[in-house]
């Protein structure tokens, strides 16, 4: 009876290939990071020094600024994406007439898939000047005593620009998840709420309350996307080793650091390893956040039965 | 006289409309900007823009490279992704099946730059050169989870009753899946494949350290460097020359048209896929 | 050795820890219509699916005890599951001709993939034969290359029956075959079953006692995974021995 | 749907029982009219003849409609089948009561021979059997039907005894012949009513158990 399943034989190699690939990827990042940990220990993650040198003994790399930049810009992105994605979901499910609804959904899906380099070129040429002129300058001239706005917006390339661009880019991801969760609430709840004589705002608040976990996972996944984004960010963030809370100051993210430095890292003794350590950090943070988002979403889908 | 409640309701509706507008408006602005900036660049150079080398003011090698990379990465990625998708569909309840599914979802969200760096260290460094093959391999890794998830999803949409019917005819698992069920889900799978190709054709980060870039001659073979439109744009924006910027906008328009030309018709047809 | 088409001996089926069929024993003679009836969720469909080992598709399902097909235990060792399924045809609740195949191809696919017939001519004649048997030939003869979506629910279901008959099975299993079919289609299918029982043993699952009473020769009443009562249809409907059966056929089982 | 049918069947049963009561009182009254030579009472029995015929028709229609609409099975089907048969038997009983009442009018002017021989006693026995059969039907139980065979035998014996006694009177005096022939015919009617009681009992037995029996 124990016949070998030929279907398994056929598909198993592909599955094993994917597993091995992923495991190998993790292995490569850990293995390649080891030298820098041996060289400077945890300093790689905890200090903000970027000292490349022809003389290996003088090399020292600390990527705290890049880690901070990745997290900071992603947080800005999520803060921007949440209200937009929520409005969008409410509009699509509650207000939009059928024709517009489909167009709006397709638009959002196109935005989710649009090549990031196009966001990048638009960000660098359109968004950054716009933000500098209409947001940063006025805020700086009036509110510069607040630490958030204290950095002079010289070029416009900054955490804020990167965060806003990322926010625009990840809104469709958050939207897709929130929209679906919102749509999964049966119409009868809405009818019940309206029957109580509630206004649109009040009804929506009740229904939106039902999908709070989905909103959280949508934001986690959007955060995961934002933190991994490379080219668009590297074109607008300014690529400066800076560690500041000020929104208008230029900075670095891990991914833009890798994109900028990896090409010539082989010249130096320790830089390659330092960048791999940065990649490892990105690997771990990104995977952890995404897994949390996915688990949260899966648990919500399993637990909630309308 | 409006009550406080009614005013609040009006404000709420206004905010929702404004938020939706803010979420979608950038796309239209991007499209307009890219057309306004890119069209003159293309028109002023004519056909040369599509066939010429960079010094001739064209993106020919990059265009060619993008198609080459899309083709090669499909060649590597699609069979693997297709089989993995079928595995996930066939063994959804097994531990391994669930594990693979989670892995695919993680890979779907995985930072693409990390894939590029990984492929560089396992292919470019040993081979001693950037190559189309390395670029295609990096893109294939990004493509696999898309196609696998779409495949599993498309298969999943086939009602169980057809599955039972095909097994009831005394067909083996291989025959049931490949000869009966896969053809039923053909459309859904093709959709996933096309979306994945459109997606990887627009990728930049994984190509940064793998494909190398090649803009003055057409690529020679799969083991030599190759260019790609997104990569070209990335390089050109960082150049100080205004002529390069014009070329970048033109290239962006081409990329946008390719993407929208593939993606939108597929996405529009999606809602018709019904059993 | 055995005159029974299907016989079960203490057949038990569980999904995970939940036992849905709790030790069922019955014998189904050849060339009759045997109806399995019972309220929804009593395990009828599960039991039916165990007869062609379709439960193998469900990872959670555990079968113990014996189910004999013409005396041979289909859960025994060295049983070729696929040949068991070929000997038993199955028709489902939802009329499910493969929507991506033409009417002709729908019947041909089992024959082709199982390499049952050789050559185009033999295939043609076998398909005609099956359609004839399923009393569908007249209705579809001139549109064999159309897709089944053009057919009515009743015709689709007869196409499924033709697909199954083409494999020349010995036993037909039908899982509420008329649940998604209109009254005219239902009548046609019921007439067809009356015709087919001259050559095949038919096991029919139905949640409608009236249907069981119309077309079956024997009925089994299944309740909460147990076979409460079985016997000749007329006897069960005129004078059921068990209180539950009585309440069920009268339509007052809570 | 099952519950609706159960309600309808209850209604049907109570209709049959009403009809049964009517038939029994008709029979009782006819025999009483005969005994007490009360022509008025006899007339009321004759009047009730149309009522029982109407009930027969109404119940039959109701039962047939239930079959058409609800496809009864099992006990429901058996109850309706029993009811359909019972109303025929009850109609017959009613008709015999009518015939007895007619005879009562004819025999109202001359005193009865030997206190009407054993006819009233026999009538009591028959009425008892019909009552018991109806009770069994009402409660769906077999206990009241237990010794119907013996009771039927007793009725038959009474009939023969009335028959022989009447023959004796006729041989004594030719003037008694008319009266005695009426007595024999009435005894014969009562004997038939006893048989119908047995038939009803058989149907009730079928209704309760699903098995056909014959009471001899």
């Amino acid at each position: 009876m124990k016949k070998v399943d030929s279907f398994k034989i056929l598909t198993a190699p592909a599955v094993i290939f994917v597993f091995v690939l992923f495991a190998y990827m993790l292995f490569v990042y850990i293995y390649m990071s080891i030298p820098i940990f041996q060289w400077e220990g945890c300093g790689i993650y905890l200090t903000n020094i970027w000292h490349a040198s022809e003389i290996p003994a003088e090399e020292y790399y600390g990527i705290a600024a890049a880690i901070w930049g990745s997290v900071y810009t992603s947080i800005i992105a999520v803060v921007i994406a949440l209200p937009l994605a929520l409005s969008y979901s409410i509009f699509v499910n509650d207000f939009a007439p059928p024709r517009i609804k489909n167009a709006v959904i397709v638009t959002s899906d196109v935005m989710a898939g649009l090549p990031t380099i196009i966001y990048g070129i638009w960000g660098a040429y359109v968004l950054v000047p716009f933000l500098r002129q209409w947001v940063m300058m006025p805020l700086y001239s009036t509110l510069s005593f607040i630490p958030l706005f204290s950095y002079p917006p010289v070029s416009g390339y900054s955490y804020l620009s990167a965060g806003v661009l990322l926010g625009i880019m990840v809104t469709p991801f958050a939207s897709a998840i929130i929209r679906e969760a919102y749509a999964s609430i049966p119409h009868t709840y809405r009818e019940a709420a309206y029957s109580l004589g509630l206004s649109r705002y009040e009804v929506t608040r009740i229904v939106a309350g039902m999908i709070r976990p989905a909103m959280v996972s949508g934001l986690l996944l959007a955060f995961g996307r934002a933190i991994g984004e490379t080219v668009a960010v590297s074109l607008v963030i300014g690529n400066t080793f800076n560690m500041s809370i000020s929104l208008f100051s230029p900075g670095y993210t891990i991914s833009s650091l890798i994109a900028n430095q990896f090409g010539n890292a082989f010249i130096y003794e320790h830089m390659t390893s330092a960048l791999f350590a940065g990649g490892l950090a990105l690997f771990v943070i990104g995977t952890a956040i995404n897994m949390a988002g996915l688990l949260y979403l899966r648990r919500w889908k399993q637990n909630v039965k309308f | 006289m409006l009550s406080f409640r009614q005013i609040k309701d009006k404000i709420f509706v206004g905010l929702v409309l404004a938020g939706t507008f803010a979420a979608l408006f950038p796309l239209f602005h991007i499209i307009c900007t890219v057309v306004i900036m890119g069209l003159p660049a293309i028109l002023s150079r004519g056909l040369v823009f599509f066939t010429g080398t960079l010094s001739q003011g064209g993106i020919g090698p990059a265009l060619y490279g993008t198609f080459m990379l899309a083709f090669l990465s499909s060649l590597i990625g699609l069979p693997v992704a297709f089989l993995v998708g079928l595995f996930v569909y066939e063994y959804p309840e097994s531990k391994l099946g669930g594990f693979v599914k989670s892995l695919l979802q993680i890979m779907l969200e995985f930072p693409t730059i990390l894939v590029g760096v990984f492929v560089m260290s396992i292919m470019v460094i040993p081979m001693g050169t950037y190559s189309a093959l390395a670029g295609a391999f990096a893109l294939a890794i990004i493509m696999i989870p898309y196609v696998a998830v779409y495949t599993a999803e498309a298969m999943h949409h086939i009602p169980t009753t057809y599955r039972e019917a095909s097994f009831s005819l005394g067909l083996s698992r291989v025959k049931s899946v490949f000869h009966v069920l896969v053809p039923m889900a053909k459309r859904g799978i093709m959709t996933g494949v096309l979306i994945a190709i459109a997606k990887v054709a627009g990728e930049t980060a994984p190509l940064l350290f793998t494909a190398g870039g090649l803009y003055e001659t057409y690529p020679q073979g799969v083991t030599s460097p190759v260019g790609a439109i997104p990569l070209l744009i990335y390089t050109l924006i960082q150049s100080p020359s205004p002529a390069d910027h014009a070329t970048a906008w033109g290239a962006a328009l081409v990329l946008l048209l390719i993407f929208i030309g593939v993606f939108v018709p597929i996405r529009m047809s999606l809602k018709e896929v019904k059993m | 050795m055995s005159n029974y088409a299907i016989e079960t001996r203490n057949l038990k089926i569980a999904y995970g820890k939940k036992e849905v069929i709790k030790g069922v024993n019955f014998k189904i003679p050849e060339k009759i219509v045997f109806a399995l009836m019972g309220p929804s969720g009593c395990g009828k469909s599960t039991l039916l699916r165990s007869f062609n080992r379709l439960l193998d598709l469900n990872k959670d399902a555990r079968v113990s005890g014996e189910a004999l097909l013409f005396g041979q235990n289909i859960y025994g060792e060295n049983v070729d599951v696929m040949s068991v399924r070929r000997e038993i045809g199955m028709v489902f609740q939802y009329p499910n001709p493969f929507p991506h195949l033409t009417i002709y191809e729908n019947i041909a696919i089992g024959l082709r993939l199982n390499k049952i017939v050789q050559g185009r001519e033999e295939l043609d004649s076998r398909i005609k034969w099956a359609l004839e048997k399923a009393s569908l030939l007249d209705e579809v003869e001139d549109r064999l290359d159309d897709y089944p979506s053009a057919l009515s629910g009743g015709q689709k279901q007869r196409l499924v029956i033709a697909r199954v008959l083409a494999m020349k099975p010995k036993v037909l299993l039908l899982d509420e075959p008329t649940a998604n079919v209109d009254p005219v289609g239902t009548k046609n299918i019921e007439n067809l079953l009356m015709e087919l029982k001259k050559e095949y043993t038919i096991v029919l699952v139905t949640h409608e006692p009236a249907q069981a009473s119309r077309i079956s020769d024997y009925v089994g009443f299944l309740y909460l995974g147990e076979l409460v009562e079985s016997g000749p249809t007329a006897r069960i409907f005129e004078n059921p021995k068990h209180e539950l059966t009585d309440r069920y056929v009268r339509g007052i089982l809570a | 749907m099952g519950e609706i049918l159960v309600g309808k069947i209850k209604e049907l049963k109570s209709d049959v029982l009403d009809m049964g009561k009517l038939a029994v009182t008709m029979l009782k009254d006819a025999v009483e009219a005969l005994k007490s030579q009360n022509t008025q009472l006899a007339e009321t029995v004759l009047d009730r003849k149309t009522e029982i015929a109407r009930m027969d028709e109404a119940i039959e229609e109701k039962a047939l409609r239930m079959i058409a609409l609800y496809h009864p099975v099992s006990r429901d089907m058996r109850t309706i089948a029993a009811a359909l048969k019972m109303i025929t038997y009850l109609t017959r009983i009613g008709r015999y009561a009518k015939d007895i009442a007619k005879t009562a009018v004819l025999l109202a002017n001359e005193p009865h021979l030997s206190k009407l021989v054993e006819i009233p006693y026999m009538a009591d026995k028959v009425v008892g059997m019909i009552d018991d059969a109806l009770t069994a039907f009402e409660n769906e139980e077999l206990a009241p039907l237990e010794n119907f065979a013996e009771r039927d035998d007793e009725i038959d014996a009474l009939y023969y005894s009335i028959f022989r006694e009447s023959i004796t009177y006729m041989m004594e005096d030719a003037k008694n012949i008319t009266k005695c022939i009426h007595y024999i015919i009435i005894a014969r009617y009562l004997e038939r009513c006893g048989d119908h009681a047995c038939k009803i009992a058989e149907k009730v037995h079928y209704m309760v158990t699903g098995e056909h029996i014959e009471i001899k």
Side-chain angles (χ1 to χ4, degrees):
Chain A
M1 181 55 233
K2 266 288 161 213
K3 265 204 326 192
V4 189
D5 191 340
S6 50
F7 183 83
K8 243 178 199 158
I9 297 176
L10 202 63
T11 51
V15 173
I16 292 167
F17 174 76
V18 172
F19 263 108
V20 168
L21 198 67
F22 196 79
Y24 189 41
M25 194 138 69
L26 184 60
F27 167 77
V28 164
Y29 277 95
I30 293 173
Y31 180 77
M32 296 296 280
S33 309
I34 290 173
I36 196 74
F37 288 119
Q38 285 171 338
W39 178 243
E40 55 193 55
C42 289
I44 176 74
Y45 292 145
L46 299 177
T47 56
N48 177 21
I49 303 165
W50 188 265
H51 194 260
S53 169
E54 308 276 322
I55 306 154
E58 289 180 4
E59 280 183 78
Y60 196 90
Y61 305 104
I63 57 165
I67 295 176
W68 162 248
S70 285
V71 173
Y72 193 31
T73 51
S74 300
I75 288 173
I76 300 170
V78 165
V79 167
I80 290 169
L82 175 65
L84 300 189
L86 193 58
S87 309
Y88 165 86
S89 305
I90 294 168
F91 178 77
V92 165
N93 284 299
D94 287 349
F95 296 163
R99 260 218 205 127
I100 295 182
K101 177 174 173 169
N102 198 39
V104 166
I105 291 177
V106 172
T107 306
S108 176
D109 285 0
V110 169
M111 286 183 80
L114 199 69
T116 53
I117 187 67
I118 293 183
Y119 281 106
I121 189 172
W122 179 79
Y125 283 91
V126 179
L127 186 67
V128 169
F130 172 83
L131 287 175
R132 181 170 171 272
Q133 183 76 37
W134 298 103
V135 178
M136 300 184 197
M137 300 285 248
L139 282 175
Y140 178 72
S141 57
T142 54
L143 299 169
S144 61
F145 57 89
I146 301 173
L148 268 184
F149 309 127
S150 61
Y151 195 92
V154 186
S155 65
Y157 298 114
S158 60
Y159 292 125
L160 182 71
S161 303
V164 171
L165 186 59
L166 283 174
I168 292 169
M169 290 170 74
V170 299
T171 297
F173 289 100
S175 297
I177 291 163
I178 297 175
R179 179 187 82 209
E180 245 170 69
Y182 197 77
S184 74
I185 309 253
H187 205 67
T188 159
Y189 289 103
R190 251 159 268 191
E191 289 173 336
Y194 276 117
S195 312
L196 295 174
L198 301 182
S199 71
R200 268 184 296 198
Y201 166 67
E202 289 153 340
V203 170
T204 307
R205 221 179 55 181
I206 292 171
V207 178
M210 290 176 168
I211 58 159
R212 195 164 297 143
M215 284 201 268
V216 173
S217 56
L219 291 183
L220 283 170
L221 290 173
F223 188 93
R225 277 273 164 173
I227 208 165
E229 178 45 44
T230 310
V231 288
V233 175
S234 91
L235 290 175
V236 297
I237 195 154
N239 297 328
T240 312
F241 285 99
N242 225 337
M243 219 171 147
S244 159
I245 186 114
S246 176
L247 288 168
F248 310 150
S249 105
Y252 240 138
T253 64
I254 302 173
S255 52
S256 62
L257 176 68
I258 295 173
N260 279 310
Q261 302 289 344
F262 201 79
N264 55 350
F266 61 91
I267 303 168
Y268 307 97
E269 172 90 26
H270 292 111
M271 197 193 278
T272 307
S273 181
L275 291 174
F276 268 104
L280 184 63
L282 187 57
F283 198 131
V284 171
I285 298 172
T287 306
I289 297 266
N290 284 326
M291 266 168 81
L294 289 170
L295 281 178
Y296 216 72
L297 192 65
R298 201 180 289 178
R299 219 178 32 207
W300 183 70
K301 278 185 180 161
Q302 274 168 1
N303 289 349
V304 182
K305 290 269 182 294
F306 291 111
Chain B
M1 183 65 203
L2 291 170
S3 72
F4 176 61
R5 226 173 140 190
Q6 282 168 315
I7 293 168
K8 214 162 71 174
D9 201 46
K10 291 259 183 264
I11 294 172
F12 163 70
V13 174
L15 283 176
V16 166
L17 291 176
T20 310
F21 179 76
L24 302 177
F25 173 71
L27 179 66
F28 297 103
H29 199 274
I30 287 169
I31 292 173
C32 291
T33 312
V34 170
V35 171
I36 291 169
M37 303 288 282
L39 206 55
I42 297 176
L43 290 178
S44 66
R45 295 178 207 172
L47 205 59
V48 177
F49 187 81
F50 297 100
T51 57
T53 61
L54 192 57
S55 40
Q56 293 166 330
I59 59 163
L63 194 60
Y64 184 86
T66 288
F67 283 114
M68 186 171 165
L69 285 170
F71 177 73
L72 279 179
S73 60
S74 305
L75 220 54
I76 303 167
L78 291 186
V80 175
F82 178 62
L83 293 176
V84 171
L86 291 183
F87 181 88
V88 170
Y89 162 70
E90 271 299 309
Y91 303 101
E93 276 133 32
S94 74
K95 264 212 178 89
L96 188 62
F99 203 53
V100 177
K101 208 172 162 188
S102 306
L103 181 65
L104 289 177
Q105 280 173 324
I106 288 167
M107 283 176 75
L108 213 53
E109 308 284 333
F110 197 70
T112 52
I113 180 83
L114 296 183
V115 175
V117 171
F118 165 69
V119 172
M120 178 187 185
S121 60
I122 64 159
M123 284 183 78
V124 175
I125 293 174
M127 287 167 74
T129 170
Y130 296 120
S131 65
L133 208 56
F137 188 65
L139 294 183
I141 294 176
I142 291 159
M143 178 188 271
I144 285 170
Y146 277 93
V147 176
V149 166
Y150 264 96
T151 302
E153 199 61 21
M155 296 295 284
H156 202 75
H157 275 127
I158 303 174
T160 345
T161 177
Y162 293 110
R163 195 174 140 75
E164 291 187 328
S166 119
F167 277 95
S168 292
L169 291 175
L171 302 177
S172 66
R173 197 181 282 269
V174 171
K175 278 181 180 164
S176 279
V177 171
F178 284 92
H179 292 275
V180 181
L181 301 175
V182 166
M184 271 178 90
K186 201 168 52 189
R187 258 190 87 147
I189 296 172
M190 280 312 292
T191 305
V193 168
L194 288 172
I195 285 182
I197 292 175
K199 175 84 196 154
V200 296
E203 283 291 342
T204 318
L207 298 178
L208 277 176
F209 311 113
T210 52
L214 180 73
Y215 307 108
E216 294 302 343
T217 55
Y218 278 85
Q220 302 302 310
V222 293
T223 51
S224 52
V226 71
I229 301 178
L231 202 54
L232 175 66
I233 299 171
Y234 185 67
T235 317
L236 292 180
I237 309 174
Q238 290 171 318
S239 135
S241 141
D244 282 351
H245 291 176
T247 312
W249 283 108
L253 180 56
V254 173
L255 186 61
L256 186 70
L257 290 176
I258 293 175
F259 174 75
I260 289 183
V262 176
F263 188 88
V264 174
I266 301 168
R267 183 56 191 74
M268 298 293 275
S269 72
L270 257 189
K271 64 175 194 286
E272 292 162 27
V273 182
K274 259 182 203 158
M275 283 297 160
Chain C
M1 51 169 271
S2 169
N3 299 326
Y4 295 106
I6 293 178
E7 188 179 344
T8 66
R9 292 181 186 158
N10 197 24
L11 188 70
K12 292 180 182 171
I13 304 170
Y15 287 123
K17 287 200 174 124
K18 192 171 175 268
E19 198 166 59
V20 284
I21 296 292
K22 302 166 184 166
V24 163
N25 290 292
F26 58 78
K27 295 170 174 174
I28 301 177
E30 278 186 67
K31 294 181 185 171
I32 58 141
V33 176
F34 183 92
L36 261 175
M37 62 181 188
S40 353
C42 70
K44 300 169 302 222
S45 293
T46 301
L47 185 57
L48 195 73
R49 277 165 169 69
S50 74
F51 296 154
N52 71 344
R53 296 206 49 170
L54 209 50
L55 289 179
D56 292 19
L57 296 187
N58 189 324
K59 284 266 179 295
D60 289 341
R62 294 273 172 281
V63 180
S64 64
E66 292 179 25
L68 289 83
L69 179 68
F70 297 100
Q72 184 212 8
N73 183 10
I74 62 167
Y75 286 95
E77 281 178 26
N78 303 319
V79 168
D80 178 0
V81 178
M82 282 173 258
S83 76
V84 166
R85 291 192 187 132
R86 283 197 283 271
E87 277 177 34
I88 300 185
M90 176 110 184
V91 177
F92 301 84
Q93 186 172 5
Y94 182 80
N96 62 358
F98 299 119
H100 64 305
L101 300 178
T102 62
I103 293 173
Y104 183 93
E105 283 299 324
N106 255 290
I107 305 173
I109 190 159
L111 300 170
R112 271 211 191 114
L113 294 178
N114 285 315
K115 301 196 175 63
I116 288 174
V117 294
Q118 313 290 330
R120 179 84 193 186
E121 243 165 71
E122 203 187 330
L123 188 64
D124 276 353
S125 66
R126 177 76 83 99
I127 285 168
K128 285 258 163 65
W129 174 85
L131 282 168
E132 178 80 61
K133 274 266 170 241
S135 4
L136 192 63
L137 189 61
D138 298 342
E139 291 159 64
V140 302
E141 196 165 18
D142 48 353
R143 45 175 177 157
L144 290 177
D145 293 329
D146 283 3
Y147 288 90
S149 56
L151 301 179
S152 73
Q155 288 173 322
K156 278 184 192 158
Q157 201 60 298
R158 277 179 287 147
L159 176 56
V160 171
I161 294 173
R163 178 174 75 191
V164 162
L165 292 178
M167 314 271 296
K168 302 220 164 152
K170 293 179 187 147
V171 174
L172 284 185
L173 306 178
L174 299 102
D175 186 0
E176 301 192 14
T178 59
N180 290 297
V181 171
D182 64 63
V184 175
T186 301
K187 194 194 74 197
N188 287 337
I189 290 167
E190 289 182 357
N191 289 344
L192 173 60
L193 294 181
M194 300 305 281
E195 200 51 43
L196 289 174
K197 77 171 178 186
K198 291 172 189 160
E199 290 167 70
Y200 303 91
T201 306
I202 296 172
V203 185
L204 170 83
V205 157
T206 178
H207 66 274
E208 227 187 312
Q211 182 168 56
S213 72
R214 277 198 297 274
I215 58 174
S216 68
D217 304 293
Y218 283 77
V219 276
F221 170 54
L222 208 58
Y223 187 65
L224 299 177
E226 281 174 90
L227 187 71
V228 175
E229 192 170 347
S230 71
T233 305
R235 210 272 291 153
I236 295 279
F237 279 89
E238 187 185 339
N239 186 17
K241 291 282 173 263
H242 200 285
E243 174 72 20
L244 280 169
T245 319
D246 177 69
R247 291 165 63 81
Y248 176 71
V249 296
R250 290 166 64 197
I252 53 172
L253 190 67
Chain D
M1 183 169 124
E3 279 79 7
I4 304 176
L5 182 59
V6 168
K8 296 262 178 201
I9 288 207
K10 239 186 205 161
E11 219 176 276
L12 182 78
K13 274 177 73 184
S14 100
D15 287 353
V16 171
L17 285 168
D18 285 349
M19 184 175 171
K21 264 178 219 145
L22 180 65
V24 168
T25 50
M26 278 170 77
L27 192 59
K28 270 190 191 158
D29 288 352
V31 174
E32 178 59 35
L34 180 71
K35 198 171 116 190
S36 57
Q37 297 186 314
N38 181 345
T39 50
Q40 257 176 327
L41 187 58
E43 291 296 338
T44 66
V45 173
L46 293 178
D47 290 344
R48 274 178 276 172
K49 194 201 91 179
T50 49
E51 172 68 7
I52 204 161
R54 192 195 57 75
M55 282 175 123
D56 179 31
E57 232 167 78
I59 293 172
E60 182 177 349
E61 197 186 319
K62 207 180 241 184
L64 291 178
R65 185 165 297 160
M66 280 159 67
I67 292 171
L69 295 183
Y70 301 100
H71 311 293
V73 295
S74 182
R75 172 165 288 222
D76 299 332
M77 184 271 287
R78 301 199 308 261
T79 306
I80 295 174
L84 275 170
K85 285 288 214 176
M86 281 169 70
I87 55 173
T88 309
Y89 301 138
L90 292 171
T91 310
R92 294 262 171 79
I93 290 170
R95 214 184 292 156
Y96 288 133
K98 180 207 74 180
D99 292 336
I100 294 170
K102 265 188 184 162
T103 317
V105 176
L106 292 179
L107 300 182
N109 302 322
E110 284 177 62
H112 287 303
L113 287 168
S114 173
K115 284 191 209 151
L116 203 56
V117 286
E118 285 175 286
I119 283 174
Y121 177 69
M122 184 183 180
D124 277 354
K125 290 278 171 198
V126 170
V127 165
M129 283 175 79
I130 300 171
D131 271 339
D132 283 352
L134 289 172
T135 310
F137 175 69
E138 184 175 10
N139 303 328
E140 302 188 11
E141 55 179 4
L142 296 177
L145 310 177
E146 246 164 36
N147 43 11
F148 258 47
E150 290 92 62
R151 289 165 82 178
D152 190 45
D153 288 347
E154 198 187 340
I155 301 284
D156 287 350
L158 278 167
Y159 169 58
Y160 280 113
S161 122
I162 290 169
F163 183 79
R164 274 194 308 276
E165 205 181 336
S166 300
I167 298 279
T168 318
Y169 292 134
M170 286 191 272
M171 285 194 298
E172 273 173 13
D173 188 345
K175 274 187 281 178
N176 290 339
I177 288 177
T178 315
K179 223 179 271 176
C180 284
I181 285 179
H182 279 304
Y183 290 166
I184 290 170
I185 291 172
I186 288 168
R188 175 67 185 163
Y189 290 162
L190 289 173
E191 187 266 337
R192 295 303 307 151
C193 288
D195 281 352
H196 288 318
C198 288
K199 285 285 173 201
I200 292 173
E202 284 169 13
K203 293 302 155 202
V204 172
H205 188 277
Y206 168 67
M207 175 183 91
V208 176
T209 65
E211 278 153 32
H212 295 279
I213 54 160
E214 201 179 339
I215 297 173
K216 289 210 169 169

